[in-house]
Amino acid sequence: MPSFTPTRRTLLKTGTAAAAFATVGPAFLRQAAAQDVDLAPYKSAQIDWQQVSGETITVAVIPASYFENLITLAPQFKALTGIDVRFEKIPPAQIRQKSVIDLTSKTGTYATHAADPMYYALYAANKWVEPLDTYLADKSLTDPAWFKLDDIIPAWRSANGIDGKLYGMPYDGEVTIQVYRKDLYDAKGLKPADTLEAYMSNAAALNTPNDRVWGAALRGVAGAGQNMYIYPSIFREFGGDWMKGGKLTVNGPEAEAALAWYVDIMKKYAPTAAANWNWPDIADAFSQGTVASYIDAHSSASVINNPEKSKIIGKVAYARWPKGPSGKRTTSIWNWGFPINSALPEKKRKATWLFIQWAASAETQARTAHKFAGPTKRSGVNRTSVWKDPDYIKLMNGFGENFVAATMGALQEDTDVDWRPRVPQWPAIGDTMATAIQSALSGQATIKAALDDAQRRIEPMMRG
Amino acid sequence: MATTAVTSAEIASEAPRSDFGRVLAQRERRFAAALLAPAFLALLATTTFPLLFLIYTSAFRMDLAMPFTNGFVGFENYRTLLADERFWTSLLVSLVYTGSTVALQVIVGLALALLVMDMKRGQGWFRVIAILPVVLSPAVVGMIWRTFMLAPEFGIVDYLAINAGLGSKNWLGDPTLAMVSVIAIHTWQWTPFAFMVLLASLASLPEDIYEAARLDRASAWQRFRRITLPLLRPAIVMVIIMRTMVALTAFAAIFTVTAGGPGTATEILNLYAYRKSFTELSIGYGSALAVALLIVTIIISGILFAMRRAK
């Protein structure tokens, strides 16, 4: 047997083979992993998942853990349907603009995208996205007994519907709730606030800036999805009505009282910097122990319970919004939903629907939440049945006392589809109001002047 | 007979030379045009066409939120613009911002240049250090200042202010302080440019004039005012022109730091046009605002160039 002598030719051949395997191998391994996963829960649906096999769609999402988990499971969808899904991650501030530009130019770049529920009025007015009723009613595309539309949180379906038609399927959502330091509250004999007035007095009692602890913080930074995400709840709780007498009205006594409360608490009991804070800043400050309470998205619970950063784990508790003078509690009705781009050809629209159905299904919601192997657990699942699952409840209660009760209470009792004005002009109105709120917050304008100015700017927008 | 032959020969030799020259010149012109064409077309495609499209768009109502009202409206957007209080406010903010930051850049840049010019050692290092802010992205600069430097109670600037006995300030939440902050940030980032240009100009000044001035016992101030400043005038004007152009259209840093806030305190015209077009989705009106900004920029540039020609 002659001994093996390496030559240039053999080295090149070996190298080429190794490179080829390195390129293709991982894909095969991923495919194998996807095949090994149990797809039986999906195949029990009485539809042909492979009916548009071979299609490719692009989905725009924000860079958030609840979408990361979905992206991780996408190979299962490919194995189930033969449809390739390409994800594009776009920050929240830009995804609205990019989506609108894509929809208005009808390029069909994004088959679907994580959509702001306040934009459906705009989308529907322009006929940019499909009414989903058509797809839900088509028995070749949807198995109603399997999909169980009614199991999806009703408030979020209402938020994504216009004139009774559903335009976006809720995937992940949130409510705003009261988050507080139980240890600090207990030490002073305080209970979570039942009224806005009580919330203010709790903040006053705990406000000790010299010890670098402030009583409360709310979003101060201007934005339709920032300070104009919190203010509408206060506005409604003070008895505000966006469509007073059928006309969009943002000023008036209820608005002035609501904004006065907001400005008061931020000026008296919040860190000065909070005037420019968004929710991540608030959650970070709370994690460091410098804020005693805040009202914001329930999903911020995962941030304040991050073991790598937080100093207050085990000391947190939750409650629903305090009531306003009107006797109402109003939480946010926010969710990221998936619409179908009308500019797509029919086959791609069907592929997009199959993706949406898969993503919103109870099985996928569970697999991206308490059944997910990775470190991050979702707290914004769209299924009532998942929220009642003992495994899920156990996972969620790890965030702190009363988390599930506060969140479900808010979802079932405190949601209000008219929490914000649902009109096509929302992008402009939201921004105008956000600016007005910040003007009042910074002292650039008085509360009445800021609101009257906003009203003056909004009126021409509403004229057809 | 010999004379006739010579004449014919002369005629024959003259014609080819003339024709050859003309043909050669023509070929060179054609070649130059061929070389220029791609760049010229690229320029047309990326500046002229978008500009014309912008002007065209500004003559329409193009409101994505109310598509049924869209259509040609002529100068309606401009009439609305002239009556828009927020337009005039943002124009004023733009002028204050631009004027302040350019003035500061020139003054500080010149001061630094004069200082470094007299350094015996370390000038090279100083140049390298000075250039660093310029190479950073304005958005990155804005984010660093917003989160690490200017946050009340938590930022470095606030820490220094507290220790200096000034107390905590809401640098980005107070209308006046926010304006001061964005001017300071822009100045901090772009002064090195003015510094570098003026330093190079200083280095090129003739030494013999200063020698003569010293012989006449001119003071340092007199030398600066009567020799340095007049000789630097072209460089200073050039710096003013370039920095003004940049400041008028500055966007990224302000957007990152304040997004035009608090309220509308730092909303330069650029930001207002952006909000109208892409946040409020009133693209026609947003285009009109952008055209207005273009006109303002052209007017100011014209004034500055005229100033440059004045000798």
Side-chain angles (χ1 to χ4, degrees), chain A residues 371-423:
Chain A
K371 291 184 182 177
F372 189 70
T376 308
K377 310 300 180 184
R378 288 180 56 204
S379 61
V381 295
N382 68 0
R383 296 278 171 171
T384 305
S385 59
V386 174
W387 274 98
K388 290 173 179 171
D389 187 312
D391 288 336
Y392 189 70
I393 289 173
K394 184 179 174 186
L395 179 70
M396 290 297 105
N397 279 331
F399 284 137
E401 190 173 310
N402 208 46
F403 180 77
V404 173
T407 303
M408 288 309 293
L411 262 175
Q412 289 163 354
E413 307 291 339
D414 305 339
T415 51
D416 171 2
V417 77
D418 292 316
W419 160 65
R420 290 200 272 182
R422 296 183 340 121
V423 291

Side-chain angles (χ1 to χ4, degrees), chain A residues 126 424-425 427 431 435 438 461, chain B residues 64-67 153 262-263 275 279:
Chain A
N126 287 283
Q425 298 87 348
D431 191 65
T435 301
Q438 205 191 35
M461 295 174 190
Chain B
L64 300 185
M66 292 192 288
E153 322 288 353
R275 284 170 98 150
T279 301

Side-chain angles (χ1 to χ4, degrees), chain A residues 210-234:
Chain A
N210 290 338
D211 299 327
R212 294 186 66 73
V213 177
W214 285 267
L218 302 173
R219 299 187 191 189
V221 72
Q226 280 81 50
N227 61 3
M228 200 39 194
Y229 182 69
I230 300 298
Y231 171 77
S233 293
I234 304 166

Side-chain angles (χ1 to χ4, degrees), chain A residues 3 9 17 21 59 75 90 100 156 161 240 254 297-298 341 354 361 413 461 463:
Chain A
S3 65
R9 180 175 289 106
F21 182 78
V59 177
I90 305 171
V100 166
W156 296 345
E254 296 89 0
H298 80 289
N341 190 334
L354 291 177
S361 69
E413 307 291 339
M461 295 174 190
R463 284 186 221 123

Side-chain angles (χ1 to χ4, degrees), chain A residues 118-385:
Chain A
M118 296 304 296
Y119 275 57
Y120 287 113
L122 173 68
Y123 292 173
N126 287 283
K127 294 183 167 54
W128 288 338
V129 300
E130 302 278 276
L132 298 183
D133 311 60
T134 308
Y135 298 81
L136 285 160
D138 186 337
K139 291 230 177 359
S140 70
L141 284 168
T142 308
D143 179 353
W146 178 82
F147 186 65
K148 296 194 184 77
L149 178 68
D150 286 350
D151 185 41
I152 293 179
I153 291 166
W156 296 345
R157 280 186 278 131
S158 296
N160 294 2
I162 302 290
D163 296 330
K165 290 184 177 181
L166 186 64
Y167 284 96
M169 189 61 69
Y171 168 77
D172 186 281
E174 61 188 41
V175 287
T176 43
I177 53 177
Q178 216 181 136
V179 183
Y180 64 99
R181 287 278 303 278
K182 191 169 190 306
D183 58 326
L184 298 182
Y185 270 53
D186 287 350
K188 297 254 184 174
L190 303 173
K191 294 190 191 309
D194 196 52
T195 63
L196 290 175
E197 196 178 307
Y199 190 79
M200 182 85 72
S201 63
N202 283 350
L206 291 166
N207 197 49
T208 53
N210 290 338
D211 299 327
R212 294 186 66 73
V213 177
W214 285 267
L218 302 173
R219 299 187 191 189
V221 72
Q226 280 81 50
N227 61 3
M228 200 39 194
Y229 182 69
I230 300 298
Y231 171 77
S233 293
I234 304 166
F235 175 77
R236 298 288 281 162
E237 293 198 355
F238 272 84
D241 179 5
W242 296 110
M243 289 304 194
K244 194 182 281 185
K247 178 191 165 209
L248 181 64
T249 309
V250 301
N251 60 351
E254 296 89 0
E256 286 171 29
L259 189 49
W261 184 90
Y262 199 165
V263 169
D264 250 11
I265 195 159
M266 289 291 278
K267 280 193 163 166
K268 291 176 179 171
Y269 310 121
T272 310
N276 281 298
W277 281 0
N278 198 350
W279 77 266
D281 306 291
I282 295 170
D284 279 348
F286 187 87
S287 298
Q288 296 304 303
T290 56
V291 167
S293 171
Y294 67 87
I295 299 175
D296 215 296
H298 80 289
S299 50
S300 61
S302 62
V303 175
I304 61 179
N305 281 284
N306 181 348
E308 291 175 12
K309 280 185 172 184
S310 182
K311 297 176 177 174
I312 49 79
I313 294 174
K315 302 173 183 173
V316 189
Y318 308 84
R320 287 158 67 193
W321 266 85
K323 280 185 292 222
S326 71
K328 275 179 11 164
R329 302 178 204 268
T330 307
T331 188
S332 78
I333 194 168
W334 178 264
N335 72 93
W336 293 109
F338 285 129
I340 298 176
N341 190 334
S342 291
L344 296 172
E346 188 182 348
K347 271 194 168 182
K348 278 193 189 292
R349 288 206 302 270
K350 287 183 176 179
T352 306
W353 169 249
L354 291 177
F355 168 78
I356 291 170
Q357 184 178 188
W358 171 78
S361 69
E363 184 60 28
T364 301
Q365 292 287 310
R367 291 187 184 191
T368 53
H370 56 290
K371 291 184 182 177
F372 189 70
T376 308
K377 310 300 180 184
R378 288 180 56 204
S379 61
V381 295
N382 68 0
R383 296 278 171 171
T384 305
S385 59

